[in-house]
Amino acid sequence: MWDLFIVNPMTNILLLLYDILGKNYVLAIIVFTLLIKLVTLPLTIKQQVGMMKMSALQPQIKEVQEKYKNDPRKMQEEMRKIGYNPVGGCLPMLIQMPVLIGLFGAINRTLTVDPKNLIDLGKHLYTFLPNLSSLVPIDSTFLGVFDLGRPDRYLVVPIVVVVTTFLSNKLMMQPTTDPQMAQTNQMMQWMTPMMFGFFMLSTPIGLGIYWIVSNLLGVAQYYLTKPMMDKARAQYGVATVGGGGKPSVAGATAPIAQLAPPPKSKIRAKTNLNKPNTDDKNKK
Amino acid sequence: MYKLGIVGTVTMLLMGCTGTDSAPSSFPGAFVDGNVAYLARGGQVYKYDVQSGNLLWEFPKQETPERGPFAGQPVKFGNTIVVGEGLNFASTGGLFSQEDHTQRSLFGLSDENGVEVWRFTGPKEFVDGVVTDGKLIYAPNGDGKLYAIDPAQKENNQPKIVWTFNDAKSKLWSKPLLAGGKLYQASMDHSMYAIDVATGKKIWEFQAKAPIAVQPTLNNGVLYFGAFDSKFYAVDAETGAKKWEQTTTGWVWSEATIANGLVYFGDVRGRVYALDIAANGEVRWTFDTKDAIRAQPIINGDTLYVVSFDTNVYALKAADGKTAWPTPATLNYRLPAKPWVINDTLLVPLFDSETRMWSLDIASGTRKIQFQPVKK
């Protein structure tokens, strides 16, 4: 099922792009990454808005946690009332995981050209695209030095992955008033790039290029969607992010610690956009 | 903390994806000579007594990451056994497996004790073995060149290169066919070449629409072979002119076997074909296995034996493709190499198991002898 719905379509699209784009695999990865970014853009925006929403709810969450610390059922009920959804921010990210893992499979399948893997590729090419068979074995050389199907012995790609992941994370990280969350964010900012850099030591360069392009496109996407996000931030009363600079509220300059929690009604109003608020109905 | 968990999970999942398949990256090959069998597989080459399953010698004595995987069918050349190294498994991914052994060697091993007699190091891999006329060895390489080498003469401490065929534009991943003073060499550049065995010069070239990775089969002046364009071709061996072609469901990576006017082969989607030569390749029957067929099917009497990546050995009636055994013999591991018939036994090399080969009762498919990589 995994192969049928995720890896096989990706494999065939990647090879189709390789064919269309003058048999240049790096170009194929770049265009493929762009397509993936476009397809997952609504999810990404939803994820960012979800994170903003959770960030805005932090003071209320703390208040409820404090108030009902001895009554977990009531705490859960109240949390639900204020619109708290523990997986709201990360669900879209979870949905994107199969894309990443599927792409890994597709790149690995098309690039690691040894007889064993090639026979596997042959089984999964679509018969209605007969031209794809003529493309193998893929020309996996890049800049005359790198083999896209093998890990980078010169460590250039792992280093660029670390740098771009760090920059991208720094830009995207939501500021928070919660010290524990701030500490986690701080840790994440360093740990994620290191983990991916470590992973790239043993991964084909082709996947590293996907990751680098994905990070750069993420940064471009950030700037393109910034006006929309700033508007949402203003709506939730969340501090702005970006460039690792001082956090500030969109349209204001107050330090984050002095920010007043967003009015409850505003949050509820936003929640209502997603689903009918049964509480309001009950009140009526 | 959930974010950390997610990042950790993704990384671990991706790392899990890089976990290498335990099978060697190139396909094994066996060769039977009387009562002994030679097997090139993974990090070692083995010589076995076929009747007892006893290991007579292995080369090297212990597996090392630098050597192998030995691939393709071993060949006897005088008192030596010639085997080649395929693509190195360690260079194709996996955590910290960054060794890059692109230079691969051909070895001449003493038939008596498996000791290395000579070595010819090629620029790249020798995926499918070599052929010989008893004087020279014709060795196709992953660098796209076919080398004619003479182990009796030395040059730079290795067998002398007598001539090199340079015309192919991509990898040579199948051994050539030697017949009538010509070598017929398939290439991943989509061509089948006829080469003058004396000079190494091209005589003709036939182009398919995708790579060709099989040794052709010759019958009555016609070459039969399939290609990755999902076509099976019959080509005049003298001129290279196409006589007919037949469409298949998948890439053809199995050599063909010819008997009783039919040509038999399999494709990577698991289908076995019997084409009628007299009827310009009309399909007589097909039989579907559950996974890729890479090995050449073999005929013994009225029965066709087919091994598949679905781990099964099938015995089919050659005339109509009906099964000859009540059930296929399941060996639980992928079967990419040609089986051999020795009297009442079918010898089947395995790909990724601890057991190197199984011998089966040819009449029923029941297991007889297990060939292990250690001396009994």
Side-chain angles (χ1 to χ4, degrees):
Chain A
M1 287 296 268
W2 174 257
D3 263 10
L4 189 66
F5 292 111
I6 306 282
V7 186
N8 291 354
M10 285 187 170
T11 302
N12 283 274
I13 292 169
L14 206 50
L15 279 180
L16 195 61
L17 289 171
Y18 173 74
D19 192 20
I20 293 166
L21 300 167
K23 297 187 175 53
N24 185 324
Y25 201 85
V26 171
L27 212 54
I29 292 176
I30 292 171
V31 173
F32 189 76
T33 315
L34 189 64
L35 290 176
I36 295 277
K37 278 277 171 197
L38 283 174
V39 170
T40 56
L41 185 63
L43 284 174
T44 312
I45 291 174
K46 204 171 174 191
Q47 177 193 344
Q48 285 176 357
V49 171
M51 281 163 71
M52 248 179 248
K53 208 159 123 183
M54 285 307 111
S55 207
L57 285 174
Q58 279 305 316
Q60 286 161 279
I61 291 167
K62 274 208 167 305
E63 195 180 305
V64 170
Q65 279 171 339
E66 187 60 33
K67 197 168 172 186
Y68 299 104
K69 61 183 170 194
N70 297 324
D71 187 354
R73 237 184 76 188
K74 183 77 180 160
M75 188 198 292
Q76 216 172 9
E77 201 179 301
E78 288 300 313
M79 289 285 213
R80 206 172 50 242
K81 275 184 191 169
I82 62 170
Y84 174 71
N85 179 2
V87 291
C90 66
L91 194 62
M93 189 173 158
L94 285 172
I95 293 167
Q96 288 180 59
M97 272 192 209
V99 176
L100 181 65
I101 298 167
L103 184 69
F104 178 84
I107 287 178
N108 231 8
R109 188 183 273 169
T110 47
L111 278 180
T112 48
V113 184
D114 61 41
K116 183 185 62 184
N117 284 329
L118 200 56
I119 215 162
D120 190 45
L121 175 66
K123 287 189 288 186
H124 296 111
L125 292 185
Y126 293 148
T127 46
F128 60 86
L129 295 170
N131 204 32
L132 298 188
S133 295
S134 69
L135 302 173
V136 297
I138 301 294
D139 178 13
S140 61
T141 50
F142 176 50
L143 299 175
V145 182
F146 300 103
D147 183 340
L148 294 168
R150 295 183 180 187
D152 180 6
R153 286 178 295 158
Y154 308 105
L155 300 181
V156 176
V157 171
I159 290 169
V160 179
V161 164
V162 169
V163 172
T164 54
T165 310
F166 177 80
L167 292 175
S168 161
N169 273 7
K170 200 171 165 66
L171 205 61
M172 312 288 177
M173 200 68 83
Q174 292 287 338
T176 175
T177 52
D178 180 354
Q180 198 188 341
M181 210 169 190
Q183 200 184 359
T184 308
N185 283 353
Q186 185 75 14
M187 209 180 349
M188 285 268 295
Q189 203 163 315
W190 284 102
M191 267 188 75
T192 316
M194 296 317 284
M195 281 169 100
F196 278 101
F198 177 70
F199 168 61
M200 289 302 153
L201 292 176
S202 60
T203 306
I205 291 173
L207 195 73
I209 288 176
Y210 161 77
W211 199 252
I212 292 163
V213 174
S214 182
N215 281 337
L216 296 177
L217 287 175
V219 171
Q221 182 184 298
Y222 165 79
Y223 283 111
L224 286 173
T225 57
K226 198 170 183 293
M228 193 198 304
M229 288 297 148
D230 283 347
K231 208 170 157 189
R233 272 182 204 105
Q235 191 180 354
Y236 288 120
V238 179
T240 55
V241 294
K246 290 169 193 168
S248 63
V249 174
T253 52
I256 196 158
Q258 295 171 14
L259 286 174
K264 235 175 182 176
S265 57
K266 200 181 242 183
I267 294 157
R268 285 214 176 144
K270 185 65 187 174
T271 313
N272 284 344
L273 292 176
N274 298 332
K275 59 176 185 179
N277 192 322
T278 45
D279 279 359
D280 289 349
K281 271 184 197 168
N282 292 341
K283 271 178 195 169
K284 280 171 197 173
Chain B
M1 288 303 278
Y2 73 90
K3 288 181 190 170
L4 271 179
I6 289 169
V7 172
T9 309
V10 173
T11 312
M12 293 321 285
L13 272 171
L14 289 173
M15 279 180 166
C17 294
T18 62
T20 45
D21 184 341
S22 63
S25 57
S26 301
F27 302 128
F31 167 65
V32 173
D33 184 27
N35 277 329
V36 294
Y38 304 90
L39 174 72
R41 202 204 86 161
Q44 287 179 307
V45 183
Y46 308 93
K47 181 180 180 180
Y48 286 104
D49 182 298
V50 173
Q51 301 304 325
S52 63
N54 280 341
L55 177 65
L56 303 175
W57 54 251
E58 72 276 72
F59 171 84
K61 290 293 171 198
Q62 287 196 323
E63 292 192 45
T64 61
E66 294 79 28
R67 273 286 72 84
F70 292 98
Q73 188 176 310
V75 164
K76 201 162 185 181
F77 181 78
N79 292 324
T80 57
I81 299 301
V82 182
V83 283
E85 291 179 301
L87 279 161
N88 195 326
F89 177 61
S91 64
T92 57
L95 196 59
F96 295 129
S97 56
Q98 292 185 52
E99 299 93 345
D100 191 5
H101 309 293
T102 48
Q103 280 203 326
R104 315 271 67 211
S105 296
L106 270 184
F107 291 87
L109 308 175
S110 162
D111 187 17
E112 194 187 338
N113 52 22
V115 169
E116 181 181 330
V117 178
W118 55 260
R119 187 189 298 196
F120 174 79
T121 300
K124 289 190 177 175
E125 70 278 3
F126 297 95
V127 162
D128 194 36
V130 299
V131 293
T132 177
D133 56 7
K135 293 177 196 147
L136 299 179
I137 290 166
Y138 304 97
N141 191 261
D143 71 343
K145 291 176 182 160
L146 174 64
Y147 297 91
I149 60 169
D150 183 359
Q153 298 183 65
K154 292 286 185 290
E155 199 174 60
N156 302 324
N157 286 327
Q158 60 173 8
K160 184 184 173 186
I161 299 172
V162 178
W163 54 253
T164 306
F165 173 71
N166 287 317
D167 290 27
K169 291 168 277 299
S170 187
K171 300 165 190 287
L172 304 183
W173 268 10
S174 62
K175 59 184 172 291
L177 173 73
L178 177 61
K182 293 189 191 78
L183 284 158
Y184 299 99
Q185 177 66 60
S187 168
M188 299 296 271
D189 70 2
H190 308 183
S191 288
M192 178 67 74
Y193 296 94
I195 302 159
D196 184 341
V197 76
T199 61
K201 300 286 179 217
K202 182 174 90 177
I203 298 170
W204 55 253
E205 177 182 351
F206 169 83
Q207 277 217 318
K209 293 187 186 71
I212 311 173
V214 292
Q215 182 190 41
T217 303
L218 184 67
N219 184 261
N220 291 330
V222 179
L223 294 172
Y224 298 92
F225 56 90
F228 288 7
D229 56 5
S230 301
K231 300 271 185 209
F232 189 83
Y233 296 97
V235 170
D236 189 302
E238 273 306 307
T239 63
K242 184 172 79 181
K243 293 181 92 73
W244 52 259
E245 68 177 41
Q246 181 58 263
T247 302
T248 59
T249 55
W251 294 3
V252 180
W253 203 339
S254 109
E255 286 159 31
T257 290
I258 294 170
N260 310 318
L262 298 179
V263 53
Y264 306 94
F265 61 94
D267 71 19
V268 301
R269 291 187 194 267
R271 180 164 287 182
V272 185
Y273 299 81
L275 307 184
D276 190 338
I277 291 173
N280 286 337
E282 198 174 292
V283 179
R284 278 287 160 262
W285 56 259
T286 60
F287 178 86
D288 287 331
T289 69
K290 297 182 198 76
D291 207 337
I293 296 168
R294 188 265 166 185
Q296 180 182 21
I298 55 162
I299 280 268
N300 186 52
D302 297 331
T303 310
L304 183 77
Y305 296 93
V306 179
V307 298
S308 167
F309 270 50
D310 70 7
T311 78
N312 289 323
V313 182
Y314 297 87
L316 307 174
K317 289 175 185 162
D320 56 14
K322 301 268 188 281
T323 51
W325 290 340
T327 53
T330 302
L331 297 181
N332 302 324
Y333 292 95
R334 289 175 286 181
L335 307 172
K338 181 176 107 172
W340 288 77
V341 173
I342 312 131
N343 303 322
D344 58 350
T345 298
L346 190 68
L347 193 65
V348 185
L350 306 183
F351 194 21
D352 37 10
S353 68
E354 183 60 20
T355 301
R356 293 330 193 218
M357 295 193 284
W358 269 107
S359 71
L360 309 177
D361 178 64
I362 203 159
S364 62
T366 50
R367 295 179 188 187
K368 287 170 78 175
I369 299 168
Q370 191 174 14
F371 293 75
Q372 299 282 21
V374 287
K375 288 191 170 75
K376 287 181 180 172

